[in-house]
Amino acid sequence: MVTVPARRKRATIHDVAVEAGVSRGTVSRVVNDEPYVSAAARTAIEAAIEKVGYVPNNAARNLVMQRSQAVGFIVHEPHSLFLDDPNIGGILLGANTVLSRADYQMVSLVIDSQRDTDRVARYLSGGFVDGVIIVSARHEDPMIRVVEKLALPAAFVGHPPDLRRLPFVGIDNRRSARAITERLIGTGRSRIGMIAAALDRDSGADRLAGFTDALGSRFDPNLVERVPLYTYSDGAAGMRALLAREPGIDGVFAASDAVAAGALEALRDAGRSVPGDVGVVGFDDSTWALRTQPHLSTVHQPAFGLGAAAAECVLGQLRGEEQPAEGILLETPVVWRDSA
């Protein structure tokens, strides 16, 4: 029979005070990094903390302060895309870096159904997080109304049209899509199509608008293939559909690098060379861009910077700071490589 050792009793402020020979109030001031404690007392208390193994009870302290020291990171995407999309990973890392520096935990919450939406809404209502960062919000996304109702400090990555005056960080998807399409036109292509993904959110709709702007009177709606998601498989399917409708297509703007990578596979299968027969450009400058052959010409999206800016925005609200009503937009330079 194995004897399970008794669980060690957690050290308390009282234990530290006894060991250091000071009052509990003095220990509390040191633990909370408050002034009015002599250097000698502080040294004695720090030594006592080390000796008795005291760890502050943050849960109790947060209950008094009505703070959780946590920020939610909400992603409105299929669970598989949350793991596969390098942009989401970059945004997450940027946000976590800033929050960690401020001693905040990040809680990841993935929404892929109405049931998920209801579950996350209940969680937010319970006061388990002090604020939220929301990625990939859709038009009329219920999370927008939940955040408004709870008056929760929030930052959206992206700008759904019904966001009203809630804070956001993002990029100018329309201007960026126009810029890279114009660069593609400049290579001498005449039948340029687009694989337009994720049109239920601002990024997808704005990239299609920028593509349309660039082509002007040359825009042909028959050369636009709409697909649901920013995924490799949707890119391959979209490219096959475009080739079936317009075999003479000689240029393609794919709404993301993952979509572009799928398009390259479909073009190879159809015996088309890139960039010889068809020039292809993507969007994001993600890890996909350098995994393809040839490497993708694309738009650089600063995913890490977007996450960091969103976290700073939430922390600023928690400090009571005003946030710019016009949002925060980061730069997105075109990165020209061999695919066009």
Side-chain angles (χ1 to χ4, degrees), residues 322-333:
E322 288 289 328
Q323 299 301 311
E326 67 277 11
I328 300 167
L329 294 180
L330 303 187
E331 291 299 313
T332 51

Side-chain angles (χ1 to χ4, degrees), residues 174-196 206-225 242 246 249-254 279 281:
R174 185 167 186 162
R175 186 186 67 182
S176 302
R178 182 174 66 245
I180 197 159
T181 303
E182 289 172 347
R183 187 77 180 266
L184 181 59
I185 293 169
T187 65
R189 315 286 169 170
S190 59
R191 297 293 290 161
I192 298 176
M194 179 179 179
I195 306 173
D206 286 351
R207 290 173 199 181
L208 175 56
F211 172 77
T212 306
D213 292 343
L215 285 169
S217 62
R218 291 172 291 178
F219 173 73
D220 183 351
N222 195 50
L223 291 179
V224 175
E225 181 63 21
L242 280 176
E246 178 52 71
I249 193 168
D250 62 1
V252 176
F253 169 40
V281 297

Side-chain angles (χ1 to χ4, degrees), residues 73 87 90-95 98 133 135 155-158 168-173 207 283-284 300-313 328-332:
F73 185 85
N87 280 314
I91 294 168
L92 184 151
L93 289 173
V98 170
I133 296 164
V135 181
F156 287 76
V157 179
F168 74 94
V169 301
I171 62 173
D172 190 334
N173 282 284
R207 290 173 199 181
F283 200 109
D284 289 333
H300 178 73
Q301 177 164 214
F304 187 94
L306 288 169
E312 291 284 8
C313 180
I328 300 167
L329 294 180
L330 303 187
E331 291 299 313
T332 51

Side-chain angles (χ1 to χ4, degrees), residues 241-322:
L242 280 176
L243 286 171
R245 280 205 305 277
E246 178 52 71
I249 193 168
D250 62 1
V252 176
F253 169 40
S256 80
D257 291 346
V259 172
L264 289 175
E265 178 191 286
L267 287 165
R268 276 194 301 270
D269 290 346
R272 307 296 176 88
S273 69
V274 176
D277 297 326
V278 184
V280 178
V281 297
F283 200 109
D284 289 333
D285 197 22
S286 69
T287 53
W288 279 107
L290 297 179
R291 286 159 55 186
T292 62
Q293 288 298 328
H295 292 171
L296 281 172
S297 295
T298 186
V299 171
H300 178 73
Q301 177 164 214
F304 187 94
L306 288 169
E312 291 284 8
C313 180
V314 171
L315 293 174
Q317 291 169 67
L318 290 170
R319 293 190 295 265
E321 298 168 3
E322 288 289 328

Side-chain angles (χ1 to χ4, degrees), residues 88-102:
I88 294 174
I91 294 168
L92 184 151
L93 289 173
N96 189 62
T97 297
V98 170
L99 294 174
S100 176
R101 196 180 300 134

